[in-house]
Amino acid sequence: EESEKGANENAAPNPRLVALQEELEKELKMKKSLEKILTLNNGTEVTDDSKGLLDDSKSKIALLRMQIEKLNNQEAMELTTGKDARSHTELMIEDLLFRLRKETVLVDRARKAKPVLTMQKKTDQKGLLDATQTLHKSEEKLDLV
């Protein structure tokens, strides 16, 4: 929990989000005041104006909440996307390392197979050709990786 708090404190707050939250707080106070006025002045001319203002305030509060939620979702998506991009990069690195190890093993085996195949009484031309081709292809792939 402390590391999360530290991360949130280190992250610069979104100025747009802060402004929306402050405006929301003001509107909530306005709504509360208008509701008090309506309950105290029931049946007067002030009531009609207050009802209109209260409806406007409720609409503005709903709009501000939606905007705040939208900004929070965008920030969450940016964080998620950043993590996904890193994990995607990490996956690609792991894949390249796997290919590197695989081709290294193939090169080693092909190099070891060539002398064994040439030392036999009856040389296996097909096996020798296959080992040579495998060696050549794997060396090229290693160069690429």
Side-chain angles (χ1 to χ4, degrees):
E1 291 180 31
E2 290 176 352
S3 62
E4 290 175 5
K5 289 179 183 177
N8 290 340
E9 290 172 2
N10 293 337
N14 184 338
R16 174 86 174 125
L17 185 61
V18 171
L20 286 172
Q21 288 172 336
E22 289 173 353
E23 194 172 345
L24 178 63
E25 288 175 16
K26 289 178 187 176
E27 276 306 314
L28 289 170
K29 288 177 185 177
M30 174 72 86
K31 178 186 166 210
K32 188 176 179 180
S33 298
L34 288 169
E35 288 173 340
K36 282 184 181 179
I37 289 172
L38 283 173
T39 56
L40 294 175
N41 298 318
N42 198 7
T44 63
E45 285 182 31
V46 177
T47 307
D48 293 332
D49 292 337
S50 297
K51 283 182 183 179
L53 290 173
L54 182 60
D55 290 338
D56 291 344
S57 181
K58 287 179 180 179
S59 299
K60 191 170 182 182
I61 288 169
L63 177 66
L64 289 169
R65 286 183 174 152
M66 285 189 292
Q67 289 175 336
I68 289 170
E69 184 177 344
K70 181 180 175 185
L71 276 176
N72 285 333
N73 289 341
Q74 284 176 346
E75 288 179 358
M77 286 296 284
E78 289 172 3
L79 291 174
T80 303
T81 305
K83 288 179 183 174
D84 285 345
R86 281 183 294 208
S87 66
H88 178 68
T89 304
E90 289 172 359
L91 289 174
M92 289 187 68
I93 290 170
E94 286 177 23
D95 182 52
L96 287 172
L97 288 172
F98 171 76
R99 290 172 189 249
L100 178 70
R101 283 186 227 111
K102 178 180 133 189
E103 295 305 323
T104 303
V105 168
L106 285 173
V107 166
D108 280 345
R109 289 185 181 165
R111 283 188 181 149
K112 290 177 182 176
K114 278 179 75 173
V116 170
L117 291 171
T118 54
M119 295 170 79
Q120 292 179 349
K121 291 182 183 176
K122 190 175 181 186
T123 305
D124 183 7
Q125 293 298 323
K126 186 178 177 188
L128 185 59
L129 181 64
D130 189 37
T132 305
Q133 287 176 345
T134 301
L135 177 64
H136 182 68
K137 286 179 184 178
S138 291
E139 285 175 341
E140 286 179 352
K141 287 180 183 179
L142 276 176
D143 290 340
L144 290 174
V145 173

